[in-house]
Amino acid sequence: MKTLLVYPPRSTPVLGMGEDKLGLLYMAAVLRENNVEVQVYDKAEHSTFADLKKVIMAYRPEIVGVSISTPNRFDGFRVARLAKDISKKIQVIAGGPHVSAVPEDTLKNIKDIDVAVIGEGENTLLDICKKKSDINGIALREGKKVIKKPPQKRIENLNSIPFPARNLLLRYQMKQMNSYYFTIDIPGKGKAKYYYTTINTGRGCPYSCIFCAVPEIWGKQVRLRSAENVVEEMRKLKYDFNVEGVHFCDDTFNITKKRVYDMCSLMIKEKINLKWNAHLRVDNADKEMLSLMKDAGCFMISFGIESGSQRVLDEVIEKKITLDSARKCIRWCDELGIIRSCNFIYSLPGESKEDFHKTKAIMNEFGGKQTCGPTMILPASRIERIAKKKGVLPKDFSWSKKTFYKYYDPTSYSFLPLYVENLSWVEILDIFYNHINSQSHARKMNYIFRLFYRLLQIRSFGELRFVVVTYWHLVHIFLRNSLIKR
């Protein structure tokens, strides 16, 4: 069956380059390996829904598969509606993190979606394309009911999956390197541009952080690709597509130390010579490992530290790390000359103002590259259950409707609800403003662009009221801080 896999255009443009959507590219590789005709539509190459309409009408697929995350869910729903408007005969299959988390809510409210793929999609989508009669790992409608089938068997040997079908994308076919790059400001060296792509080396997460739904979607059992398989993909990217850098997008690159040692040692032995960055946990790192990573090409590491309050880390997030281990990793990175980026969140359940002041203090202590944002509620996460139990989120809240809720990300049309409890909304906006003000010029411009663009997207009185009230608070905070500076 002719299949078009789609990553939706975004209603809110974001400055900067987008990463490859590996989920779609892995599924495309499996379909192609099994003689299914497939194309991939990537928003990095086609930026508008008008472009997508032209692609669908020209290609005339029998199946349109759309990848939906929670931030882009309404754009994903729009893709489904567009496909059905073109032809009712098109079967619309939705998958991705959001649909996997709330398949029943999605199918109940979005009639243009025929089937929801839950979790790992390679074998499930292949079964659909092969028109098998009994398919696991999906949800679908039977009459007025939504039926959820048994889970699809997980792929235990990730080495058996072909590498992502990047050559289905025009920018890789033509080696348009200006379409896959990022620019990093390296202290002491200025700005450097790397032609880069993303690699995922494993699936699953054994941890249970309050804000994350990964264990619910991918499972707690960790499955890892071999070091040889990962390094071979790096080699192909370098020589087939002139890639110079890689972002390892695993939630935890150092899930085991041995595997990090194996991969880095092999990168050095095979003289891969690619620049790369990754996400690490601070509790499973040491200076020797970080030094080997640098020798293998690592130039930047992101650490999810989340809070400066050990109480919040232990009792709320259940992060299972200590601030002392974070301090050690920061010191080692600085000694080795590795750029480090620390991620923090605030407005967590039970988090007091004193807890946030501790977070602010440790951010000041660490310095360097940092991200800090309010806690977003995501479907299937522990914080969603807490939010509904405490009445922060209405119990009948639907992720498929633009339901008016008091607290959303003010820079986005994504309608991502924020958790608001002990810190007031004005206090959260004050923290948000001060964090933006501490960022680089490019990041400030990105935020300002998104704030102004949000004004153009207002479609209801409820939205207008939320935006006006929120922006009034931001203007007041800006004026107050300007007077303080004087």
Side-chain angles (χ1 to χ4, degrees):
M1 300 181 75
K2 288 181 70 174
T3 302
L4 177 66
L5 301 181
V6 177
Y7 189 81
R10 289 298 299 268
S11 294
T12 303
V14 178
L15 300 181
M17 305 303 298
E19 296 180 339
D20 292 339
K21 305 308 170 186
L22 294 179
L24 288 183
L25 296 176
Y26 270 121
M27 286 188 287
V30 170
L31 294 183
R32 188 170 60 180
E33 188 177 62
N34 287 272
N35 300 314
V36 175
E37 186 179 344
V38 60
Q39 283 191 10
V40 176
Y41 176 98
D42 181 5
K43 62 117 178 162
E45 295 184 342
H46 308 275
S47 58
T48 68
F49 283 93
D51 288 337
L52 176 58
K53 183 176 181 179
K54 291 176 184 177
V55 170
I56 295 175
M57 294 181 72
Y59 185 56
R60 302 180 68 180
E62 298 164 85
I63 291 176
V64 168
V66 55
S67 176
I68 301 178
S69 63
T70 302
N72 80 351
R73 65 195 186 281
F74 293 110
D75 294 324
F77 302 157
R78 186 175 171 185
V79 171
R81 184 170 67 250
L82 175 63
K84 288 295 187 181
D85 286 344
I86 292 171
S87 174
K88 299 294 182 184
K89 293 180 180 180
I90 294 176
Q91 186 180 22
V92 177
I93 313 295
H98 181 79
V99 175
S100 295
V102 282
E104 294 96 339
D105 177 70
T106 303
L107 289 176
K108 179 182 175 183
N109 293 287
I110 309 302
K111 304 302 182 184
D112 295 313
I113 295 175
D114 299 304
V115 178
V117 173
I118 303 168
E120 215 163 53
E122 288 91 352
N123 289 337
T124 304
L125 184 59
L126 179 61
D127 288 345
I128 293 171
C129 290
K130 294 292 187 180
K131 297 184 178 181
K132 289 192 175 181
S133 56
D134 189 21
I135 301 173
N136 289 333
I138 63 171
L140 71 168
R141 298 184 198 84
E142 290 186 3
K144 294 184 178 181
K145 293 183 178 180
V146 174
I147 305 298
K148 191 175 176 180
K149 294 294 186 74
Q152 177 71 265
K153 184 179 178 182
R154 289 195 172 103
I155 302 170
E156 296 300 329
N157 179 14
L158 297 185
N159 289 354
S160 67
I161 307 174
F163 294 148
R166 292 183 176 90
N167 56 3
L168 288 178
L169 300 177
L170 182 63
R171 62 183 182 274
Y172 285 101
Q173 293 172 12
M174 306 300 292
K175 295 187 179 180
Q176 296 171 334
M177 292 188 291
N178 283 337
S179 295
Y180 46 97
Y181 74 88
F182 73 107
T183 302
I184 183 73
D185 193 359
I186 300 178
K189 296 183 180 180
K191 293 187 182 296
K193 180 185 286 187
Y194 292 105
Y195 301 106
Y196 93 119
T197 187
T198 50
I199 290 180
N200 187 276
T201 75
R203 296 179 181 180
C205 180
Y207 302 101
S208 301
C209 297
I210 189 171
F211 48 77
C212 184
V214 168
E216 298 292 330
I217 297 168
W218 290 108
K220 286 200 166 187
Q221 178 190 350
V222 178
R223 295 158 292 148
L224 302 172
R225 296 167 58 189
S226 68
E228 292 77 11
N229 187 257
V230 173
V231 172
E232 178 59 26
E233 182 177 0
M234 295 177 76
R235 188 199 322 278
K236 287 184 69 65
L237 289 170
K238 179 178 180 178
Y239 292 110
D240 291 356
F241 302 116
N242 300 331
V243 166
E244 297 175 331
V246 167
H247 167 56
F248 288 107
C249 56
D250 304 70
D251 294 293
T252 306
F253 183 73
N254 61 333
I255 202 76
T256 69
K257 281 185 181 180
K258 181 183 182 303
R259 184 160 169 277
V260 175
Y261 275 86
D262 289 345
M263 284 193 291
C264 291
S265 298
L266 194 57
M267 289 179 207
I268 295 168
K269 179 183 176 182
E270 298 294 325
K271 299 180 180 179
I272 295 300
N273 294 327
L274 291 179
K275 296 291 184 182
W276 54 273
N277 66 300
H279 305 279
L280 266 65
R281 281 181 64 91
V282 297
D283 61 338
N284 200 31
D286 56 45
K287 190 173 183 179
E288 182 183 1
M289 186 183 81
L290 297 179
S291 179
L292 182 64
M293 288 172 60
K294 183 183 180 184
D295 291 342
C298 178
F299 70 96
M300 184 168 70
I301 296 172
S302 296
F303 296 108
I305 298 171
E306 321 304 358
S307 176
S309 166
Q310 192 63 54
R311 182 193 73 81
V312 170
L313 288 172
D314 295 341
E315 300 175 13
V316 180
I317 301 176
E318 297 182 16
K319 185 76 177 180
K320 298 180 181 178
I321 64 170
T322 66
L323 292 172
D324 284 341
S325 60
R327 288 186 174 94
K328 289 178 182 177
C329 284
I330 297 302
R331 186 177 73 249
W332 292 332
C333 283
D334 290 346
E335 290 171 355
L336 292 166
I338 299 174
I339 303 170
R340 33 69 173 201
S341 174
C342 301
N343 304 321
F344 296 92
I345 55 176
Y346 55 89
S347 190
L348 287 153
E351 182 185 32
S352 65
K353 294 179 184 178
E354 181 185 355
D355 290 320
F356 175 71
H357 289 315
K358 290 180 179 178
T359 297
K360 191 174 179 181
I362 206 162
M363 289 177 68
N364 290 334
E365 176 187 338
F366 289 170
K369 187 178 175 66
Q370 298 176 341
T371 63
C372 182
T375 302
M376 293 182 180
I377 304 170
L378 294 175
S381 64
R382 197 153 46 92
I383 199 167
E384 183 198 25
R385 296 191 289 272
I386 293 170
K388 288 185 176 180
K389 183 178 180 181
K390 290 191 173 186
V392 175
L393 201 65
K395 290 185 178 180
D396 61 350
F397 181 84
S398 170
W399 292 95
S400 300
K401 299 177 181 178
K402 294 178 182 177
T403 311
F404 180 69
Y405 171 71
K406 291 187 290 183
Y407 311 116
Y408 287 112
D409 175 2
T411 67
S412 171
Y413 195 60
S414 303
F415 291 88
L416 283 172
L418 305 179
Y419 191 93
V420 178
E421 191 180 284
N422 292 339
L423 293 174
S424 71
W425 182 233
V426 174
E427 287 171 324
I428 289 171
L429 291 175
D430 191 26
I431 298 166
F432 174 77
Y433 167 82
N434 283 295
H435 179 65
I436 292 175
N437 207 35
S438 69
Q439 298 299 294
S440 67
H441 177 74
R443 283 180 174 268
K444 283 181 188 176
M445 291 301 101
N446 194 355
Y447 278 115
I448 292 170
F449 169 79
R450 288 163 62 183
L451 283 166
F452 277 103
Y453 196 87
R454 181 67 181 90
L455 294 171
L456 303 177
Q457 298 174 308
I458 295 171
R459 296 292 183 272
S460 69
F461 179 76
E463 280 184 65
L464 175 63
R465 184 177 181 277
F466 166 75
V467 170
V468 168
V469 170
T470 298
Y471 282 28
W472 168 247
H473 287 314
L474 286 173
V475 169
H476 178 74
I477 291 165
F478 169 76
L479 293 173
R480 186 194 66 204
N481 280 274
S482 298
L483 288 174
I484 290 172
K485 284 182 179 179
R486 288 182 183 180

